[in-house]
Amino acid sequence: MTEVQHPSIEALAARLAALLAPGAIVTDPDAIAPWLTDWRRRYHGAATLLLQPRDTAEVRAIVVAARALGVPLVPQGGNSSMVGGATPPADGRAAILSLRRLDRIRRLDPAAGLVVAEAGVVLADLHAAALAERRRFPLSLGAKGNATVGGLVSTNAGGTQVLRFGTMRGLVAGVEAVLPDGTLHDGLPALKKDNRGYDLDQLLIGAEGTLGVVTAATLRLVPAVAARAVAWAGVASPDAAMALLRRMQRAAPALESFELLPDESLAAVLAYLPDARAPLAGRHAWHVLIEVTADVADDDPGALVEAQLAAALDAGEIADAALAQSEAQAEAFWRLRESISDAERATGPAAQHDISVPVETMPRFMVEAAAACDARFPGTRASGFGHLGDGNVHFHVRAAPGTDPAHWYAEQVPVVSRFVHDLVVAAGGSISAEHGIGQMKIAELERLGPPARLHALRAIKRAFDPGQLFNPGKLVALAPDRGSE
Ligand SMILES: Cc1cc2nc3c(=O)[nH]c(=O)nc-3n(C[C@H](O)[C@H](O)[C@H](O)COP(=O)(O)OP(=O)(O)OC[C@H]3O[C@@H](n4cnc5c(N)ncnc54)[C@H](O)[C@@H]3O)c2cc1C
């Protein structure tokens, strides 16, 4: 065991040794090291203490002791944050509070369509538990093998089914959390009606660990998928894709996904995956991936999608389309979409932006913002892909060929990102659609406001956590001398 460096952290470890079950206190640097760097390997923190409680009572004991000793805590789940949200500060004065060992499903009620899952339950395990009862938790994302319930709640995660089921805000029926003063908020009973003032559950959702430590959540389940139809269409423009989206929404209430990608993204994926094939024969400027599901076996989503695609072809909205003829082909279509980030990374460095604008505005924004970036940063290439139906795309500006990655990330990305974010704000949008603010976007949120939002964020943070002990340096910039602001 390596000596603990920081005096207050050393005192915390000593105090907790008498309160926690064996194995909860980790000071071995080799065991802590994997949790000091974020998923994208852009942020590196320091910590000499990692705490891994087994239950809510242990979380409370940790929070009370940390508060008494003034030790900041960084809540951490699967550490899959895209914005450095779970990476401790570099000064080494915080302890990591890992929730991964709170991994029990306390109750699953298929009839009520509710599951009470602890914070450390991994999303893929939650999916499996629901499926065993012929139910589904209708939120999925690329990090499902790592992301935990606590992290999903705390980032208000989205994913590929938001179109039909919404983000975590709509899927969480109640939250259990330990607040910075050590009290327990128990929202698990999942009341359908509850008008006792401010909604604490909703405040904690998307709070990025700055207001409370989520220990469990009651989540909504839906029936397992009985059948699905997955289709690929070639379209001339984002406007044409929007016309198809509206057509599909009118005809198919169970439209779950509507993803748009430019041809260059598909080309990058096909170059990256040697065994992959383009779904359509000809070239198309833009591509759409559609999924419609059925909850009951008698429904035929394939026939519905086929009829709508035929009508769209007749109306000139699409140039060509293919309906997956098997589960394997459906998976192959999705693999193309899910490989875009990896494929584009292989083509060179890029400035990536997870942004949203009003849904109807998105087609124009995608075209005009890309043209503005290409003109402003000669040699770079900008394009967006993703959840058109949610008004949320991943807008990437790829560096000019031959650019030194170190120079690009240190010097150019901040300039490019400010330019893109200014365009987003001018379009009435958000600089963080689904990944959160973390430490990556905290300066941009400060810069772009708006003032009422910033004022409220700071006031709420100060009210909940006046000592700034929960996840310092994330989401809310609260300088110590700003106490009266
Ligand atoms: C490959 C990949 C694909 C992704 N795709 C999507 C996507 O499609 N849609 C989307 O919305 N997001 C996506 N994400 C990001 C997504 O937000 C995270 O994967 C997930 O929500 C975080 O879960 P986690 O358990 O890993 O949390 P962590 O990364 O450990 O933490 C995330 C934040 O939550 C806080 N936190 C974690 N646990 C708790 C807790 N118990 N109590 C209080 N605070 C806590 C942390 O302090 C941090 O601020 C993706 C990430 C990856 C790596």
Side-chain angles (χ1 to χ4, degrees):
M1 182 169 124
T2 306
E3 202 179 322
V4 175
Q5 303 287 324
H6 215 281
S8 55
I9 288 195
E10 202 168 0
L12 178 62
R15 186 175 294 193
L16 290 174
L19 301 173
L20 306 182
I25 300 172
V26 180
T27 54
D28 174 1
D30 291 339
I32 298 175
W35 307 104
L36 297 177
T37 300
D38 75 305
W39 180 280
R40 284 175 158 158
R41 313 200 71 74
R42 289 189 56 187
Y43 299 97
H44 306 282
T48 51
L49 180 63
L50 183 148
L51 299 164
Q52 38 182 19
R54 279 205 171 277
D55 56 30
T56 302
E58 287 198 337
V59 174
R60 287 186 81 178
I62 290 169
V63 169
V64 169
R67 183 170 183 238
L69 293 163
V71 176
L73 296 171
V74 178
Q76 196 180 73
N79 197 27
S80 67
S81 167
M82 292 290 223
V83 289
T87 307
D91 59 15
R93 69 193 171 90
I96 297 174
L97 175 53
S98 166
L99 282 304
R100 287 182 288 278
R101 294 208 304 179
L102 269 77
D103 59 358
R104 283 165 294 254
I105 290 185
R106 293 187 192 164
R107 192 164 58 86
L108 196 158
D109 183 340
L114 294 172
V115 58
V116 180
E118 292 188 345
V121 172
V122 170
L123 181 57
D125 295 337
L126 179 64
H127 287 161
L131 197 57
E133 299 291 340
R134 291 197 293 160
R135 292 292 179 272
R136 170 164 71 125
F137 179 61
L139 182 146
S140 193
L141 39 80
K144 66 183 174 204
N146 297 80
T148 62
V149 166
L152 296 161
V153 169
S154 301
T155 58
N156 181 30
T160 48
Q161 291 140 343
V162 172
L163 197 52
R164 183 174 177 203
F165 296 106
T167 63
M168 285 298 282
R169 284 198 194 283
L171 295 171
V172 173
V175 173
E176 177 190 270
V178 178
L179 304 184
D181 64 0
T183 55
L184 184 73
H185 164 64
D186 180 6
L188 294 181
L191 302 175
K192 212 171 167 76
K193 297 177 117 178
D194 178 13
N195 270 353
R196 289 174 288 177
Y198 307 134
D199 190 329
L200 280 187
D201 293 341
Q202 288 294 331
L203 260 186
L204 290 159
I205 298 169
E208 301 187 21
T210 62
L211 299 182
V213 180
V214 175
T215 48
T218 304
L219 304 169
R220 299 184 212 283
L221 302 175
V222 299
V225 173
R228 68 170 177 164
V230 175
W232 192 279
V235 297
S237 66
D239 269 328
M242 183 60 76
L244 180 62
L245 169 66
R246 294 309 183 209
R247 174 185 292 280
M248 295 302 306
Q249 283 181 313
R250 283 194 300 273
L255 175 66
E256 291 211 359
S257 303
F258 194 95
E259 302 285 309
L260 175 66
L261 53 142
D263 195 46
E264 59 206 82
S265 293
L266 177 62
V269 171
L270 294 175
Y272 178 71
L273 300 174
D275 61 327
R277 289 180 41 213
L280 304 175
R283 292 291 292 270
H284 304 279
W286 294 85
H287 302 260
V288 172
L289 175 62
I290 300 165
E291 176 163 327
V292 177
T293 59
D295 300 337
V296 288
D298 289 347
D299 287 353
D300 183 358
L304 188 153
V305 171
E306 203 163 18
Q308 293 309 314
L309 290 175
L313 209 52
D314 284 347
E317 288 164 10
I318 64 175
D320 195 6
L323 182 67
Q325 297 301 309
S326 63
E327 259 305 299
Q329 202 177 10
E331 283 300 313
F333 286 4
W334 268 110
R335 184 169 169 242
L336 296 173
R337 161 65 184 91
E338 285 166 353
S339 301
I340 295 175
S341 289
D342 289 342
E344 292 198 344
R345 200 171 301 129
T347 66
Q352 304 185 347
H353 310 93
D354 159 46
I355 54 105
S356 65
V357 298
V359 176
E360 297 301 329
T361 319
M362 185 52 94
R364 210 178 76 200
F365 177 85
M366 290 174 80
V367 172
E368 292 181 356
C373 285
D374 291 350
R376 172 72 177 74
F377 305 105
T380 64
R381 184 92 182 104
S383 63
F385 67 91
H387 322 299
L388 181 69
D390 307 334
N392 165 210
V393 296
H394 303 295
F395 190 84
H396 292 185
V397 180
R398 291 182 294 287
T403 304
D404 169 37
H407 178 260
W408 169 256
Y409 286 115
E411 306 295 331
Q412 288 182 266
V413 167
V415 180
V416 171
S417 292
R418 279 198 291 274
F419 185 76
V420 171
H421 290 157
D422 286 345
L423 295 174
V424 170
V425 170
S430 165
I431 63 167
S432 178
E434 56 179 11
H435 293 161
I437 298 298
Q439 52 185 304
M440 180 190 278
K441 294 186 176 176
I442 194 165
E444 281 293 81
L445 184 62
E446 278 284 297
R447 183 174 75 85
L448 295 166
R453 179 181 288 266
L454 289 177
H455 179 76
L457 285 176
R458 290 187 195 123
I460 292 167
K461 171 70 176 173
R462 267 197 304 274
F464 272 71
D465 185 18
Q468 300 185 44
L469 294 183
F470 275 22
N471 214 5
K474 317 289 165 44
L475 177 58
V476 195
L478 200 63
D481 61 351
R482 275 187 163 152
S484 60
E485 196 181 343

